[in-house]
Amino acid sequence: MLLLIKLYSEDMNEAVAEVLRDLREENHISQEKLADAIGSHQVYISEIEKGKKLPSLQVLYHIAKFYNMSLTQLVERIELRLPKA
């Protein structure tokens, strides 16, 4: 059971990392500019994009608003990157 939770957690971190990195690169935004815009730090954005950290819903909300999307739209993009069960 713990292994399944760990695997799902790793999959979630990877999906979030990929979506946020892709969004940032598609919009030609630096990690520093994104961090400044959402009241965070470049190192934290880097850790998210490497899959080391999982952002809170509040952080995801601010990132979604930065890209003029709803939180739902952002979460849907992330969900599409998750492995099918």
Side-chain angles (χ1 to χ4, degrees):
M1 179 74 163
L2 289 175
L3 179 60
L4 287 175
I5 292 170
K6 185 174 183 342
L7 289 174
Y8 184 76
S9 176
E10 290 172 359
D11 289 340
M12 180 64 71
N13 286 18
E14 188 175 315
V16 170
E18 289 174 4
V19 168
L20 296 186
R21 184 177 48 250
D22 288 352
L23 268 173
R24 188 180 56 74
E25 290 175 351
E26 288 167 12
N27 287 280
H28 309 287
I29 303 293
S30 68
Q31 289 179 344
E32 187 172 1
K33 184 173 180 177
L34 175 60
D36 288 345
I38 66 166
S40 188
H41 299 278
Q42 179 273 327
V43 172
Y44 182 59
I45 300 300
S46 175
E47 289 176 338
I48 292 169
E49 290 186 0
K50 290 177 184 173
K52 294 181 179 179
K53 299 272 185 185
L54 192 61
S56 67
L57 280 176
Q58 183 176 9
V59 170
L60 288 174
Y61 172 80
H62 289 297
I63 291 171
K65 291 304 167 194
F66 177 79
Y67 291 116
N68 296 313
M69 18 180 4
S70 70
L71 180 57
T72 301
Q73 290 170 313
L74 181 57
V75 170
E76 286 173 346
R77 283 189 184 207
I78 293 167
E79 190 174 22
L80 288 172
R81 299 282 179 105
L82 290 171
K84 305 299 182 232

